[in-house]
Amino acid sequence: MGANSSSISELPDNEYLKKLSGAEPISENDPFWNQLLSFSFTAPTNSADLKLLEEATISVCKSLVEKNPRTGNLGSLIKVFLSRTKELKISAECQNHLFIWQAHNALFIICCLLKVFISRMSEEELQLHFTYEDKTPGSYGTECEDLIEELLCCLIQLIVEIPLLDITYSISLEAVTTLIVFLSYQLFHKEILRESLIHKYLMRGRCLPYTSRLVKTLLYNFIRQERSPPPGTHVFQQQTDGGGLLYGIASGVATGLWTVFTLGGVGSKATAQLEQCSPLANQSLLLLLVLANLTDAPDTPNPYRQAIMSFKNTQDSSAFSSSHPHVFQINFNSLYTALCEQQKSDQATLLLYMLLHQNGNVRTYVLARTDIENLVLPILEILYHVEERNSHHVYMALIILLILTEDDGFNRSIHEVILKNITWYAERVLTEISLGSLLILVVIRTIQYNMTRTRDKYLHTNCLAALANMSAQFRSLHQYAAQRIISLFSLLSKKHNKVLEQATQSLRGSLDSSESPLPDYAQDLNVIEEVIRMMLEIINSCLTNSLHHNPNLVYALLYKRDLFEQFRTHPSFQDIMQNIDLVISFFSSRLEHAGADLSVERVLEIIKQGAVALPKDRLRKFPELKFKYVEEEQPEEFFIPYVWSLVYNAAVALYWNPRDIQLFTMDSG
């Protein structure tokens, strides 16, 4: 930290840091603060850099933890920062680099200290550290102001009010990161935090009026994806015109005991990964997800979740409802574009899930889009590359599809969108296919992967529910999609026969042996029969509702007709097999009358003619297949650990020592 380059290893011996963490109280008016805050550095951009920083400064932090109750120097540093932020907006407008530079440095130090304090003490102890003051013997001061609430409120004001410019980018990013650090108490608790001092401050009191503006700003940060300005842009520049006396003071300080503190070096070439991402957008999205998943207070619903549930499109001119106190407007077109472009990250997929599930305005807008393929294709890619994704990302993508398929308009429109050359689908060259057929292919592939690898019933159920929702609107299925539907049924049939054989052998063995209990094959058989029943219902739904639109499915059904023989008289499938058996018999008869050695084209022509001739009333009507996504009774038990696992693994900005983490149990890597 200062004018000449130095290694991180020298930080523990830095005179200014030693004084900050020493036994001597430092008044907030002491010139020392100008000296402490006059350093330049390239902000850490990944957890590896921050790990080095934390390891180098841990001794300083521990010393401050020990001596702050007597010195109150943490409180003085925070008051110095608060005093500097009062003029930040004007400083940004006037391009006052020096003022913004020192305010950023103060916040950076506060954030680094907070991480250590929070990992080592309770919220109550932290509050005491914020209220310690040096008092002369016999003095009776008034009760201290609540510095935690004041700092939290100041950070929110900074985020929502300071214009985002090159010179303010770093302090905006640091403010977002500091709020995440404040909320990171959850990482150090095994149980979900339901009563928290920090949560109370953020959901009530002085912070509450800023709820909608904060959510809106964080969303716009995500939408805009502003890249970090070139290294050094935010640092006080020696060439700045009109520096005058302020520049003289700063340069004089910088040539004193401080040296330039660099991580990677000022002006060093950024990595390809950083060139492609926006640290502010990433951190803003993480903070938004953390805020949205705070637990409700006993008498106060989470206002940030309320804001996310109720915001509207800027083109919506309807009046705001008084029942939604935190409603605001945002450009839905820009939001939709950002959501389409950012689906490679867990956090963007989680945001999309939250908006579709909780915000009816967003869901209605998305379903009305005529370019829905821009959103669906990235979701399908997540599912297609299931081997490379963590299970939670796959679940979110699948639930998004399930929510979309609840809408009949969506299920019709996806078969009207024709795609060309899907390069990421490797099993077969798809030069032309409808979005609906591609969706079926990917979901079936996910089911097959799950059957051979993870064997997760929850994933199976949601995949089949999405297919069931679409089945009545299947239109012009691609021949490969039709084949894969029947191939999946074939796989399930073989699985059923294998489990049935194992159960039979086990039963025979149990009669001849009195050894340990045998596996419960009855339960396995019950599960596989449930899945087979669902597949038969999906095929039946397509045949009864859109037979004439799907000659390729009828062709695939006839080609593999022998698969269905064993289920015709099975008590679990007898009813649902009636229609399938009728279709197979009807079209088989027409093909027999047409002669032998028929070409594929001729068979399809006969099927199309037969579909028109088959009386609809001969097919038995079953209740419509409709499945709705229902969130778990206690969704926070899943979402809060998931969100914090994303924060913990974020590529930009935060590092926590793994040995300190209590909550983190998710495989979000």
Side-chain angles (χ1 to χ4, degrees), residues 88 91-92 96-105 167-168 171:
L88 266 184
S91 298
N96 187 334
H97 289 247
L98 175 62
F99 207 86
I100 297 168
W101 170 45
Q102 290 199 338
H104 168 269
N105 289 351
I167 60 170
T168 61
I171 194 168

Side-chain angles (χ1 to χ4, degrees), residues 181-406:
V181 170
F182 256 121
L183 289 159
S184 67
Y185 266 108
Q186 180 62 82
L187 279 174
F188 308 102
H189 289 77
K190 290 182 180 179
E191 304 298 326
I192 303 300
L193 280 181
R194 300 185 186 279
E195 292 186 12
S196 163
L197 184 69
I198 307 301
H199 295 187
K200 185 183 77 172
Y201 285 135
L202 288 171
M203 294 200 289
R204 301 178 186 177
R206 295 171 57 187
C207 297
L208 185 61
Y210 293 95
T211 297
S212 57
R213 290 178 65 191
L214 178 59
V215 171
K216 182 176 182 177
T217 303
L218 295 175
L219 275 173
Y220 269 127
N221 286 348
F222 166 71
I223 289 169
R224 289 168 180 150
Q225 292 289 317
E226 293 282 357
R227 295 186 181 182
S228 180
T233 305
H234 61 285
V235 176
F236 184 77
Q237 302 295 316
Q238 295 191 12
Q239 305 303 321
T240 302
D241 293 334
L245 179 60
L246 287 177
Y247 168 68
I249 293 173
S251 61
V253 169
T255 55
L257 296 173
W258 275 113
T259 54
V260 177
F261 170 43
T262 62
L263 292 171
V266 173
S268 62
K269 187 176 179 181
T271 64
Q273 182 183 7
L274 288 176
E275 289 174 355
Q276 298 301 317
C277 73
S278 165
L280 180 61
N282 188 49
Q283 291 297 90
S284 294
L285 179 52
L286 289 171
L287 175 58
L288 183 63
L289 295 174
V290 170
L291 290 171
N293 285 283
L294 297 179
T295 55
D296 294 335
D299 56 344
T300 311
N302 181 341
Y304 302 97
R305 189 182 303 123
Q306 286 186 315
I308 286 174
M309 290 171 64
S310 59
F311 71 82
K312 301 160 62 173
N313 194 354
T314 48
Q315 295 182 351
D316 186 346
S317 57
S318 60
F320 287 180
S321 169
S322 57
S323 60
H324 297 117
H326 305 293
V327 68
F328 61 90
Q329 289 180 300
I330 203 165
N331 187 309
F332 276 19
N333 183 57
S334 300
L335 176 61
Y336 180 80
T337 301
L339 288 168
C340 293
E341 292 174 350
Q342 301 300 321
Q343 284 308 306
K344 289 184 180 179
S345 75
D346 280 70
Q347 44 267 43
T349 305
L350 181 53
L351 175 65
L352 175 59
Y353 157 77
M354 286 171 51
L355 295 179
L356 287 175
H357 177 53
Q358 299 177 355
N359 190 312
N361 300 321
V362 173
R363 184 168 59 254
T364 300
Y365 177 85
V366 167
L367 290 168
R369 293 285 301 206
T370 56
D371 59 348
I372 193 67
E373 68 274 15
N374 291 339
L375 187 68
V376 175
L377 282 172
I379 299 299
L380 294 183
E381 275 200 74
I382 294 168
L383 292 175
Y384 183 80
H385 297 292
V386 59
E387 302 94 336
E388 303 166 17
R389 303 290 182 179
N390 70 76
S391 61
H392 310 296
H393 199 182
V394 172
Y395 281 142
M396 288 297 101
L398 189 54
I399 292 169
I400 286 167
L401 286 185
L402 180 55
I403 291 171
L404 292 173
T405 61
E406 291 171 12

